[in-house]
Amino acid sequence: MKEDTSAAPSENSEDIKLGETTSPTKDRLDRKRKRIGVIDDDEDETKTAYEDPIKVMNEHKDTVKRLKEKESPLKEGENKMIDLTTLPVSASQGSSSTKASTSKQSVGKHSLRKSTGIKYKDRSTLRKLSDPKYNPTTDAPFAAGEPVPFSFLVEGFEEVGACHGENSKEAIKVIMSNIFRSVITLTPEEMVICYYLSTGKLAPDYRGVEIGVGFEILRSCTAKATGRSDKEIRQEFSSQGDLGEVVESCKSTQKSLSGFFIKKGPPTVLTCSEVFEDAMKVANTSGQNSTKLKQSIILRLLKDGTNTEAKYVIRFFQKNLKIGANAATMIGALAKTVVLLNKTNLKFTKSE
């Protein structure tokens, strides 16, 4: 009897390809591959042979990664810098990239303006901030529309720190309210900046913005800005107990040979906007080499500012102005400002 061998294909038959399967597993896998975009609906069925599911998922991840790279406007290794044409009043935590980067946070409508070419009034010819006859327009060192000099705020801090004894809180409110009245009357867009600088903050507490500068960074910046060694700065700090006073006293006695060879131009005047913007950049700087970037920013502020301004720059980064006025006192001064300005029928617009 002759055996029927037509139903049993030989080993060399080309009807069955290696790796193909007709089980339900193949159908489920093909549907999944179509859903994630590995194959098209009109693709030839002969190309939908069984493949490793891990390989399929890896291909899908690579596709998503390529799409994200096309959407990103920056190349790998580039830094995201803060837009200096906006006023950032809040910041999120910086990303831990391979290089130091700053996150862009722009809230409000404020353009950073510097004091280049601006001649401010001589404060010695004007009334003091504690004077009961202080005029917010004529006694302010800056004119309408000009950036608020940081020295104006520092002068108020010095007068506030000298208030002691009975009714000192009320005297502090008078001094700070005179500052706020001048800012709101002449340059109202910088009022938010001046208030935050007066409280030693960069944003409201609920936003969680931290400056993130340690004592060692500030001590190193103090040594570089004053031309002293780290050992000398440590000795001065142990005797005075205030790093702000250390930088003030060391800058006043600083001698530098480089000053004889540098052509002197117009004096640099720090503004409240510059101090606030640089402090925000320090808070947003993170990642590799972030310590060097923070030091360079702080060092520029210490060198450009006067002795007294440098003292309060250090104290601001320490989040303690040491003037005897807390946030509640500043709120009271702001309330006093609104009451006094309301008598002049000044209209306030709702901020964003």
Side-chain angles (χ1 to χ4, degrees):
M1 184 176 177
K2 201 174 190 179
E3 294 183 1
D4 185 10
T5 59
S6 60
S10 62
E11 295 180 357
N12 297 329
S13 176
E14 297 180 356
D15 296 337
I16 299 178
K17 296 182 180 180
L18 184 61
E20 289 187 347
T21 178
T22 57
S23 64
T25 304
K26 172 182 175 300
D27 298 333
R28 290 196 302 268
L29 184 60
D30 290 343
R31 288 195 298 270
K32 184 175 183 180
R33 295 170 71 221
K34 291 179 181 180
R35 186 166 61 253
I36 65 178
V38 176
I39 60 175
D40 299 328
D41 294 337
D42 57 350
E43 187 177 4
D44 189 2
E45 294 182 356
T46 59
K47 298 182 181 180
T48 60
Y50 174 79
E51 292 183 12
D52 188 0
I54 297 178
K55 180 179 178 182
V56 173
M57 296 305 298
N58 288 336
E59 292 178 357
H60 175 60
K61 291 180 180 179
D62 293 339
T63 303
V64 174
K65 183 178 179 180
R66 287 193 299 269
L67 291 175
K68 289 183 177 180
E69 289 176 352
K70 290 182 180 180
E71 295 175 357
S72 178
L74 297 179
K75 298 180 181 179
E76 184 179 359
E78 291 184 352
N79 292 336
K80 296 180 181 179
M81 301 303 296
I82 291 179
D83 187 359
L84 297 182
T85 61
T86 56
L87 166 64
V89 297
S90 66
S92 59
Q93 297 294 334
S95 60
S96 58
S97 58
T98 57
K99 291 188 178 181
S101 62
T102 53
S103 59
K104 179 180 178 181
Q105 296 290 332
S106 57
V107 180
K109 296 179 180 180
H110 174 81
S111 60
L112 177 64
R113 295 167 304 171
K114 298 185 178 182
S115 59
T116 305
I118 298 178
K119 281 190 175 183
Y120 292 104
K121 302 177 186 177
D122 185 6
R123 281 295 300 157
S124 61
T125 61
L126 306 175
R127 292 188 179 93
K128 291 186 177 181
L129 291 166
S130 56
D131 194 327
K133 296 182 180 180
Y134 178 84
N135 188 295
T137 303
T138 59
D139 291 328
F142 57 100
E146 293 180 350
V148 181
F150 188 57
S151 58
F152 181 58
L153 205 58
V154 167
E155 179 189 350
F157 293 160
E158 289 287 282
E159 292 192 29
V160 167
C163 295
H164 301 289
E166 190 177 359
N167 296 329
S168 60
K169 293 295 182 184
E170 186 61 29
I172 292 174
K173 291 179 182 179
V174 171
I175 295 171
M176 296 307 302
S177 65
N178 285 336
I179 294 176
F180 296 156
R181 285 166 61 200
S182 295
V183 175
I184 292 177
T185 304
L186 300 175
T187 314
E189 60 269 23
E190 293 192 10
M191 179 58 212
V192 176
I193 290 177
C194 293
Y195 179 78
Y196 281 136
L197 291 177
S198 302
T199 57
K201 299 178 181 179
L202 292 174
D205 293 335
Y206 67 86
R207 291 184 176 173
V209 181
E210 295 293 337
I211 296 179
V213 177
F215 177 79
E216 292 299 323
I217 295 178
L218 295 177
R219 181 186 56 76
S220 177
C221 292
T222 301
K224 293 178 180 179
T226 58
R228 303 294 183 90
S229 64
D230 291 342
K231 183 178 180 181
E232 291 176 329
I233 296 299
R234 291 193 188 96
Q235 292 176 352
E236 291 289 338
F237 177 75
S238 61
S239 62
Q240 299 187 31
D242 183 6
L243 193 59
E245 293 182 355
V246 171
V247 70
E248 182 183 25
S249 61
C250 291
K251 281 198 68 174
S252 61
T253 59
Q254 181 183 9
K255 295 180 180 180
S256 177
L257 291 176
S258 60
F260 293 99
F261 304 99
I262 298 177
K263 185 178 180 180
K264 294 183 179 180
T268 303
V269 179
L270 280 182
T271 64
C272 292
S273 296
E274 291 179 90
V275 175
F276 186 86
E277 291 285 351
D278 285 345
M280 185 63 75
K281 285 196 288 186
V282 170
N284 291 341
T285 301
S286 62
Q288 187 179 357
N289 296 327
S290 60
T291 301
K292 292 182 179 179
L293 290 176
K294 291 179 180 181
Q295 286 181 344
S296 63
I297 295 173
I298 299 173
L299 186 60
R300 187 190 68 84
L301 291 175
L302 295 179
K303 288 183 177 181
D304 291 347
T306 62
N307 303 340
T308 309
E309 290 173 355
K311 176 174 70 174
Y312 285 101
V313 167
I314 289 291
R315 289 181 175 181
F316 180 78
F317 281 105
Q318 289 181 320
K319 297 184 293 186
N320 187 2
L321 297 177
K322 300 181 181 181
I323 58 176
N326 53 19
T329 305
M330 294 299 174
I331 293 176
L334 186 60
K336 186 180 184 67
T337 303
V338 174
V339 172
L340 293 176
L341 290 179
N342 193 34
K343 293 180 181 179
T344 61
N345 297 325
L346 181 65
K347 295 182 180 180
F348 293 92
T349 57
K350 184 177 180 182
S351 60
E352 296 180 355

